């Protein structure tokens, strides 16, 4: 302890084969510092026997979707001697504020959480629909920032909710009176300048005669699937009119017909 260098007293029965951990009744310094009246000790006992002397350090708080809680690595030491290193423990009782923030951000905002709750599926679908509209309109500014969603849940959840277990207990109780209290809405998720977006201008299907062909949209200029992809059954290839596909979809006609120099202006 405290980086002391000592020697087991030669008269001790443990001198020839010293244990890894030992406790000495006294330290006597003559030619060297000798430990006397020694006995082996299990380091696992120390946390219970000397809690007032134990030091704990915490690092790397992280969200665990499997445990539905924030975990952290704990280092336990006594006078500089490491009793346990990188022990994974629950961070909630240690720092409820940080744990609650991480729970909201990871579980409810980023959906890193396993639950069958109706609000969860509703919110995921609503966000997915807006993200699909961003691909269709080739914009990245329709969906509000994550902080908006964080603020929504932060205003609802009590201060002690920092784990999935506590959240489910609270949710089931509060939903009895307000079933849709955790439901996000388009008003919350859409930016203010998105009111002019018309989903009908970007259809999911294209009619070609009697054929109903599926359209998919992807907005990433660096990706090979950037733009609109039309899925056509192999047997229907001979029934397509190539000139029809020069018109794209209604939502892209204005850009297609506007001269490049006018768009730049």
């Amino acid at each position: 302890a405290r980086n002391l260098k000592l020697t087991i007293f030669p008269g001790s029965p443990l001198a020839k084969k010293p244990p890894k951990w030992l406790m000495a009744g006294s330290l006597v310094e003559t030619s060297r510092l000798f430990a006397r009246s020694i006995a082996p000790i299990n380091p696992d006992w120390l946390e219970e026997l000397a809690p007032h002397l134990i030091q704990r350090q915490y690092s790397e708080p992280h969200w665990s979707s499997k445990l539905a809680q924030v975990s952290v690595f704990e280092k336990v030491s006594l006078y500089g001697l490491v009793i346990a290193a990188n022990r994974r423990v629950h961070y909630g009782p240690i720092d409820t504020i940080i744990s609650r923030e991480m729970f909201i951000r990871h579980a409810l905002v980023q959906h890193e959480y396993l639950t069958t709750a109706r609000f969860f599926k509703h919110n995921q679908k609503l966000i997915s629909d807006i993200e699909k509209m961003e691909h269709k309109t080739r914009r990245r500014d329709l969906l509000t920032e994550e902080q908006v969603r964080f603020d929504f849940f932060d205003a609802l959840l009590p201060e002690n909710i920092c784990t999935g277990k506590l959240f489910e207990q609270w949710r089931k109780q509060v939903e009895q009176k307000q079933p849709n209290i955790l439901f996000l809405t388009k008003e919350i998720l859409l930016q203010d300048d998105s009111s002019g977006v018309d989903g009908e201008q970007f259809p999911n299907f294209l009619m070609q005669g009697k054929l109903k062909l599926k359209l998919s949209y992807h907005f990433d200029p660096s990706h090979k699937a950037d733009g609109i992809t039309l899925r056509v059954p192999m047997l229907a290839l001979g029934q397509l009119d190539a000139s029809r596909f020069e018109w794209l979809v209604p939502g892209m006609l204005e850009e297609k017909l506007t001269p490049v120099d006018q768009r730049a202006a």
Side-chain angles (χ1 to χ4, degrees), residues 47-48 51 54-58 74-77 87 89:
E47 292 182 72
E48 181 179 353
I54 293 294
Q55 288 188 333
R56 302 178 188 273
Q57 295 176 304
Y58 303 99
E74 179 185 56
K75 179 181 178 181
V76 184
S77 61
R87 175 193 290 169
V89 297

Side-chain angles (χ1 to χ4, degrees), residues 196-241:
V197 177
D198 184 0
E200 295 183 359
Q201 298 294 305
F202 302 90
N204 294 321
F205 296 93
L206 176 69
M207 296 303 299
Q208 179 74 356
K210 295 182 179 180
L211 296 175
K212 185 178 181 181
L213 305 175
K214 183 174 178 57
L215 294 171
S216 60
Y217 301 78
H218 190 78
F219 178 31
D220 182 358
S222 64
H223 196 278
K224 63 180 181 180
D226 180 53
I228 307 176
T229 300
L230 177 72
R231 299 185 179 276
V232 183
M234 183 72 70
L235 297 177
L237 284 175
Q239 305 175 44
L240 302 182
D241 180 5

Side-chain angles (χ1 to χ4, degrees), residues 20-227:
K20 184 175 181 180
W21 286 76
L22 60 85
M23 187 169 183
S26 63
L27 297 177
V28 179
E29 188 168 7
T30 54
S31 58
R32 285 176 289 176
L33 184 62
F34 289 101
R36 305 186 63 152
S37 302
I38 63 173
I41 186 171
N42 188 333
D44 294 339
W45 302 341
L46 298 177
E47 292 182 72
E48 181 179 353
L49 296 176
H52 58 297
L53 301 176
I54 293 294
Q55 288 188 333
R56 302 178 188 273
Q57 295 176 304
Y58 303 99
S59 62
E60 301 180 37
H62 55 280
W63 169 252
S64 172
S65 57
K66 182 178 180 180
L67 299 175
Q69 67 183 30
V70 177
S71 298
V72 69
F73 292 113
E74 179 185 56
K75 179 181 178 181
V76 184
S77 61
L78 173 66
Y79 295 133
L81 298 176
V82 178
I83 300 171
N86 292 328
R87 175 193 290 169
R88 191 190 299 267
V89 297
H90 178 206
Y91 199 41
I94 301 166
D95 193 330
T96 305
I97 295 177
I98 296 297
S99 297
R100 179 179 178 276
E101 290 178 0
M102 293 184 67
F103 170 77
I104 293 175
R105 194 165 302 280
H106 288 275
L108 304 181
V109 175
Q110 300 177 1
H111 301 128
E112 299 173 12
Y113 182 51
L114 299 176
T115 179
T116 57
R118 288 175 54 245
F119 88 92
F120 199 77
K121 295 180 179 179
H122 166 85
N123 292 348
Q124 280 184 310
K125 184 179 185 305
L126 194 56
I127 292 173
S128 176
D129 290 343
I130 295 175
E131 289 176 339
K132 289 178 181 178
M133 184 57 64
E134 286 186 328
H135 282 285
K136 290 180 177 181
T137 58
R138 301 186 68 78
R139 295 173 59 177
R140 290 289 186 222
D141 58 351
L142 297 183
L143 185 65
T144 53
E145 296 180 353
E146 286 188 356
Q147 188 61 38
V148 175
R149 284 169 270 166
F150 178 91
D151 294 340
F152 170 80
F153 292 112
D154 184 35
L156 292 174
L157 267 63
E159 294 181 356
N160 67 312
I161 303 298
C162 62
T163 68
K165 181 179 180 180
L166 292 174
F167 172 75
E168 291 297 330
Q169 292 173 351
W170 170 80
R171 176 186 67 80
K172 291 176 182 178
Q173 183 177 6
V174 75
E175 284 183 345
Q176 292 179 0
K177 296 182 179 179
Q178 297 175 278
N180 297 338
I181 187 173
L182 294 168
F183 279 48
L184 289 167
T185 64
K186 286 187 177 181
E187 288 74 21
I188 295 173
L189 294 175
L190 283 173
Q191 298 279 16
D192 294 337
D193 61 348
S194 62
S195 56
V197 177
D198 184 0
E200 295 183 359
Q201 298 294 305
F202 302 90
N204 294 321
F205 296 93
L206 176 69
M207 296 303 299
Q208 179 74 356
K210 295 182 179 180
L211 296 175
K212 185 178 181 181
L213 305 175
K214 183 174 178 57
L215 294 171
S216 60
Y217 301 78
H218 190 78
F219 178 31
D220 182 358
S222 64
H223 196 278
K224 63 180 181 180
D226 180 53

